[in-house]
Amino acid sequence: MGWSPTFSSFDFSHGHGRSRTQRSGTDRERERRSGSLLRSRKCTKELVTGTGIRPSNTPLRHRLPTLAGRAVPPGAAAGAAAEEEEGDGGTAAAAAEDPEVVFEDEALGAFLAAAGPASAAILGAPALLAAFEEDPPRLTGDALEGCEPEIRIQVLSLFAAWVAVAGEPPRALFLEEIDLSQAAVVELAGTLESCGAALEEWDMTRCPTNDATTRILFKALGTQTLRRLNLGYNALGLMGASALVGVASSWADSLEHLSLEMNGLGDAGCREVVGALERGLLPRLRVLELGWNELTAACAPALGALLRQRGTT
């Protein structure tokens, strides 16, 4: 008898384990946008400065420590950038100051102006700019449509940097339906490190990659104090489950919600994750989502044991 795909998650937060049916996309969206994730935008001290910042062809992640130091009015960064000699950097800064480019968030305008040439693709694509302006920021494959591989990498790096410094905590990064190359993930990892990111939520759905790249990504995520991790619909398989278990101790004091829906874990991957949890991994975890993973009744003993154990703690 097959395991019911609607038996998708376990909630340990009320003193006893209980199953929950899969929530709709509307419910998830409402939850994401409620409470603390609905935060107002403002120019923060971590944002870009105009003192000594100039557009540059240096990879963005190597410039981020410089882009994160001193607070100045948002227009100053754009003004300083505009003083740069003619070239791609000047074009990007000018676009950021173009009256036809309207920024609802002045801080974002300053950020993109200081980023130099790397921001040109964003300023020239309404869908990309909208992804940065959304609250919380959300980057999708549709927004990256038509971008060359190198531009995709630059945009991803800028997106991670923006999430890391914009607004107020808690900070959450959302990626949807993006094919992640190893080069892109390496750049993402470098960006998170360079700008001292402190993310509390990583939501990555339908962003397939290979096993080696998955390990690089998980190692980078291990540097973040995550409370919520959504990896649904990424075809992680058994290897991905093992890689996740290998870094999960990094979130021992923080992770409360883990979603692994639709990842082709199978019984072996399920036992990999559930067995580690039974041995004490992620003691603060309250919700585990495992729906649509091709599970069978063979997983029932392990899942039952986990429910009994966590339900009494």
Side-chain angles (χ1 to χ4, degrees), residues 161-272:
W162 173 241
V163 171
V165 302
E168 299 176 345
R171 296 191 169 97
L173 188 147
F174 293 84
L175 300 175
E176 296 178 5
E177 298 183 335
I178 299 172
D179 291 334
L180 293 175
S181 66
Q182 184 164 315
V185 170
V186 168
E187 186 70 19
L188 272 175
T191 299
L192 294 176
E193 179 182 3
S194 296
C195 62
L199 304 180
E200 294 187 37
E201 180 171 359
W202 183 277
D203 193 299
M204 188 179 83
T205 57
R206 295 184 175 89
C207 296
T209 187
N210 58 43
D211 292 337
T213 304
T214 296
R215 287 193 291 271
I216 295 171
L217 175 63
F218 287 172
K219 182 178 179 181
L221 293 183
T223 66
Q224 305 299 301
T225 310
L226 298 179
R227 290 190 302 106
R228 184 184 180 105
L229 177 58
N230 178 15
L231 297 171
Y233 296 79
N234 286 306
L236 294 177
L238 175 58
M239 294 295 292
S242 298
L244 180 64
V245 167
V247 301
S249 60
S250 303
W251 310 307
D253 296 329
S254 62
L255 197 66
E256 300 172 354
H257 189 125
L258 175 60
S259 178
L260 296 173
E261 292 180 319
M262 199 71 174
N263 270 296
L265 299 183
D267 291 342
C270 175
R271 284 193 289 265
E272 180 83 14

Side-chain angles (χ1 to χ4, degrees), residues 48-226:
V48 295
T49 78
T51 309
I53 301 300
R54 297 291 187 272
S56 169
N57 288 321
T58 305
L60 175 69
R61 65 187 176 91
H62 297 310
R63 300 173 54 219
L64 285 171
T66 318
L67 294 173
R70 303 164 297 280
V72 298
E83 295 173 3
E84 185 68 10
E85 337 182 286
E86 288 298 320
D88 289 341
T91 301
E97 288 196 314
D98 187 338
E100 294 185 5
V101 180
V102 179
F103 293 99
E104 294 182 6
D105 185 343
E106 288 185 345
L108 177 58
F111 176 87
L112 292 176
S119 67
I122 299 162
L123 294 168
L128 282 177
L129 187 57
F132 279 69
E133 290 177 330
E134 194 167 349
D135 187 12
R138 184 184 303 270
L139 185 61
T140 69
D142 286 344
L144 289 167
E145 186 89 27
C147 291
E148 295 296 325
E150 184 59 33
I151 297 299
R152 289 169 65 93
I153 291 172
Q154 291 180 358
V155 170
L156 280 164
S157 180
L158 269 175
F159 183 76
W162 173 241
V163 171
V165 302
E168 299 176 345
R171 296 191 169 97
L173 188 147
F174 293 84
L175 300 175
E176 296 178 5
E177 298 183 335
I178 299 172
D179 291 334
L180 293 175
S181 66
Q182 184 164 315
V185 170
V186 168
E187 186 70 19
L188 272 175
T191 299
L192 294 176
E193 179 182 3
S194 296
C195 62
L199 304 180
E200 294 187 37
E201 180 171 359
W202 183 277
D203 193 299
M204 188 179 83
T205 57
R206 295 184 175 89
C207 296
T209 187
N210 58 43
D211 292 337
T213 304
T214 296
R215 287 193 291 271
I216 295 171
L217 175 63
F218 287 172
K219 182 178 179 181
L221 293 183
T223 66
Q224 305 299 301
T225 310
L226 298 179

